[in-house]
Amino acid sequence: MTRKIAVGIVVYHAGNELLRRLELASTNGFEVYVFDNSPDAPNVREFSALHPRIHYFTCGKNLGLGVGISTVCANAYQHGQSALLFFDQDTGFSDETLSYVETNYIDNIDSYRDFSAIAFKAEGRASVQDVPLLINSGSLYFLEKLKALDWMDCSYFVDSVDYKLCLDSLNKGYRIGLCGATPGFDHVTEQADSRYHIAGRTYSMRAYSWSRIKDTVSSNFKLIFSALKNCQFSFALRITRLLTLYCASQILVRVINTLGILKRD
């Protein structure tokens, strides 16, 4: 059976759980495109050599998500693929996840002609709704549209790679979609967040390194200026609000960790 979508992953020092998911996708007939940002660790390269449906790429060093996603998408497109479902290496998925997304794509291929990407997640309704932003993991990229956008903006290393795609899509007149009720999709379990109980509610947060915070702030400022340059004022305001919340959360989680006054899981 020829699958209608491909699977793409960018890895950095991947563990055995990621290898299991690569095998799951390939043995279910999906072409899998992997970009390795840690080629000094040979496990993914050696594993890929044993599975003909896994296509392995690397540039010999860590070049980040912008280059990585562009590479897997561009190579899938050159191999005749029309859509690629991307996952972060710490996002869980099952064969049900892959079949669900593929079936959704087949059933709605005509109505998705104006979209550059559809983000799938576990929560919410199964119907697609337009959204202004999406995250990379769980996104089904329509490769003809990404080619027209010149793939991802490789000047973004990790943070804002996905949001820059949303801005580029907005500038080009492409839509971004969101679809929920995706079975087997798990973007929570393998995350490094801790859970904090505040005023009867639970919040997932983590204290990022100062280098990661610097990258987040600088990439968001660059994105905001890019949006303003293209007269996308609402988009710029949205990113400004998200950046403000991010900075506030990083201050809060450090205060909580220092004082140790709230229960943590």
Side-chain angles (χ1 to χ4, degrees):
M1 175 182 179
T2 301
R3 294 295 190 175
K4 301 301 181 182
I5 64 173
V7 175
I9 298 178
V10 175
V11 304
Y12 182 73
H13 293 293
N16 290 332
E17 191 61 26
L18 186 277
L19 298 183
R20 185 194 66 79
R21 289 195 283 265
L22 292 178
E23 184 173 32
L24 181 148
S26 62
T27 56
N28 276 276
F30 293 91
E31 301 295 324
V32 183
Y33 295 81
V34 178
F35 186 87
D36 194 349
N37 271 321
S38 54
D40 53 308
N43 58 337
V44 176
R45 180 176 65 254
E46 293 174 353
F47 185 84
S48 300
L50 301 174
H51 298 80
R53 291 190 183 275
I54 301 179
H55 309 276
Y56 177 91
F57 306 94
T58 185
C59 286
K61 59 182 178 180
N62 185 4
L63 294 179
L65 278 180
V67 172
I69 299 177
S70 292
T71 299
V72 298
C73 287
N75 279 278
Y77 178 80
Q78 293 299 326
H79 290 173
Q81 303 289 340
S82 58
L84 179 140
L85 177 60
F86 182 82
F87 293 106
D88 287 344
Q89 69 177 36
D90 54 6
T91 297
F93 62 87
S94 66
D95 52 352
E96 287 183 294
T97 310
L98 302 177
S99 296
Y100 178 85
V101 175
E102 182 184 44
T103 299
N104 180 286
Y105 172 65
I106 294 171
D107 291 345
N108 298 282
I109 191 167
D110 289 332
S111 58
Y112 286 166
R113 293 189 183 279
D114 294 332
F115 288 84
S116 61
I118 304 287
F120 289 83
K121 66 175 187 174
E123 312 83 21
R125 298 177 299 175
S127 57
V128 173
Q129 54 185 317
D130 284 76
V131 292
L133 298 173
L134 53 68
I135 63 172
N136 291 315
S137 194
S139 289
L140 181 68
Y141 294 126
F142 303 121
L143 301 181
E144 191 70 47
K145 299 297 192 303
L146 260 64
K147 180 177 183 294
L149 295 173
D150 201 23
W151 310 110
M152 298 290 181
D153 189 331
C154 295
S155 68
Y156 290 79
F157 189 75
V158 174
D159 289 293
S160 298
V161 171
D162 39 14
Y163 291 171
K164 182 55 163 59
L165 174 68
C166 296
L167 176 59
D168 291 342
S169 297
L170 180 63
N171 290 333
K172 194 79 170 180
Y174 297 149
R175 298 160 65 188
I176 296 290
L178 176 67
C179 181
T182 307
F185 183 84
D186 184 0
H187 193 57
V188 176
T189 301
E190 296 182 32
Q191 299 297 309
D193 294 8
S194 295
R195 296 197 298 175
Y196 297 82
H197 306 296
I198 305 173
R201 300 184 64 179
T202 300
Y203 300 87
S204 294
M205 295 185 292
R206 81 177 87 166
Y208 286 102
S209 67
W210 290 112
S211 61
R212 179 67 184 272
I213 293 173
K214 180 181 177 181
D215 179 57
T216 299
V217 172
S218 63
S219 63
N220 273 267
F221 271 123
K222 184 167 69 170
L223 184 60
I224 291 167
F225 289 135
S226 182
L228 293 173
K229 180 180 178 181
N230 288 278
C231 298
Q232 300 291 358
F233 303 114
S234 295
F235 189 95
L237 180 59
R238 189 181 303 275
I239 299 301
T240 301
R241 288 171 176 167
L242 290 176
L243 179 59
T244 301
L245 289 173
Y246 172 83
C247 292
S249 71
Q250 289 303 298
I251 294 172
L252 177 61
V253 74
R254 280 169 167 77
V255 171
I256 292 173
N257 289 347
T258 300
L259 298 178
I261 57 176
L262 295 171
K263 181 180 178 182
R264 233 183 352 154
D265 294 336

